[in-house]
Amino acid sequence: DDAPHSEHFTLTPIGHVVSDYPDKFGIPRQPGLAPAANARLVLTAPYNDPLAVRGLEDFSHLWLTFIFHQSPERWAPLVRPPRLGGNRKVGVFASRSTHRPNRLGLSLVKLASIDTQQGIALQLLGCDLVSGTPVVDIKPYLPWAEAHPHAQAGFAPETPSLMAVTFHPAALDTLAQRQDSATLLALIEQVLSQDPRPAYKQKNTASDRVYGVRLRDVDVKFRQRLKNEATTLEVVAIE
Ligand code: SAM
């Protein structure tokens, strides 16, 4: 038949991300919330041509379009954003849910540098992507056209409130022995302050439940503590 060919489009990744996040669990829900998170975007041939990134080094921030490859292909018109406690529903197109038609994601990230020694790799900061995420496009961010600090943001009007994070002395000892102790400590604090626990678990009561979140090559064990009426997340071990 003569159905137009433009009904379907095929996307080919131009590269993939190698990040501080081996698992989906614990990754902040938007970019920039954990600025200490490192990622490398490694470009794949034929897109790893130096000509294709000429001029990009002069931009501080980039838009990445990527595939939520770890989400199922099925989608539904209504989703439950964690921001609404996980029980109220909004339309998928009113959300940043990973369960969406075409599974396309969009993240604004900071460009630290471009490595051209072996192939091409972009060093990024503040990514919200699991390691292995396929990237389909890169565009420079244009603040004069795209920054709208007073825009209305529906059910997510402002940055999420932060949880206090404390470290057990044993966890600090483990950290002190690492070369990347300063940046790893910052990353752990930034990630836990977002309270990665499932929305329905966040009660202001003491609980013995220990959670684990993988960051870089470590498993960070933490639990909730009620300290002088204030709830904190305490890092109990780094394994
Ligand atoms: N900033 C992007 C956007 O708005 O399209 C992503 C927002 S989404 C709510 C962020 C979450 O996606 C992270 O917390 C992480 O759990 C999840 N995630 C990251 N990379 C993923 C991937 N490749 N596949 C599925 N889920 C992913």
Side-chain angles (χ1 to χ4, degrees):
D1 63 49
D2 56 3
H5 291 292
S6 58
E7 295 285 307
H8 289 88
F9 301 91
T10 307
L11 298 178
T12 308
I14 58 157
H16 68 279
V17 162
V18 179
S19 77
D20 275 344
Y21 301 120
D23 296 332
K24 277 191 300 181
F25 178 70
I27 303 180
R29 299 194 175 104
Q30 285 304 330
L33 295 173
N38 291 301
R40 268 172 93 72
L41 167 49
V42 182
L43 299 187
T44 314
Y47 311 103
N48 61 353
D49 182 335
L51 298 179
V53 293
R54 186 191 285 176
L56 191 63
E57 69 281 4
D58 294 334
F59 290 85
S60 63
H61 291 76
L62 311 175
W63 289 111
L64 300 183
T65 312
F66 61 90
I67 309 285
F68 288 117
H69 73 308
Q70 288 191 6
S71 292
E73 280 188 47
R74 77 188 133 70
W75 66 279
L78 289 174
V79 298
R80 299 168 194 263
R83 191 53 177 252
L84 293 175
N87 40 39
R88 272 176 56 204
K89 295 180 182 172
V90 301
V92 65
F93 299 133
S95 84
R96 305 299 286 255
S97 170
T98 67
H99 290 56
R100 56 196 313 118
N102 297 314
R103 295 190 294 172
L104 279 175
L106 181 68
S107 290
L108 181 62
V109 299
K110 192 163 193 287
L111 175 65
S113 61
I114 303 184
D115 268 358
T116 48
Q117 297 297 47
Q118 282 178 319
I120 297 207
L122 312 189
Q123 289 292 349
L124 308 172
L125 288 167
C127 256
D128 54 350
L129 308 181
V130 73
S131 215
T133 298
V135 172
V136 293
D137 201 8
I138 303 167
K139 286 181 185 169
Y141 170 65
L142 301 178
W144 51 268
E146 300 183 297
H148 294 286
H150 304 296
Q152 188 176 319
F155 63 83
E158 55 207 19
T159 44
S161 57
L162 297 182
M163 190 83 163
V165 178
T166 54
F167 288 78
H168 189 278
L172 286 177
D173 283 349
T174 315
L175 265 179
Q177 287 158 24
R178 292 181 54 108
Q179 289 212 312
D180 64 347
S181 54
T183 60
L184 183 57
L185 182 123
L187 180 64
I188 294 171
E189 271 186 330
Q190 292 166 4
V191 164
L192 294 194
S193 70
Q194 300 291 320
D195 199 348
R197 295 172 301 162
Y200 58 90
K201 296 279 188 203
Q202 291 169 29
K203 298 180 219 109
N204 282 343
T205 55
S207 149
D208 286 341
R209 165 98 198 247
V210 173
Y211 296 84
V213 54
R214 288 175 65 212
L215 297 173
R216 293 189 188 161
D217 57 339
V218 297
D219 198 357
V220 180
K221 303 283 187 200
F222 67 98
R223 68 167 171 231
Q224 178 171 290
R225 283 196 67 181
L226 205 57
K227 224 175 174 181
N228 313 327
E229 305 283 298
T231 312
T232 75
L233 291 182
E234 183 190 42
V235 177
V236 288
I238 295 172
E239 295 168 355

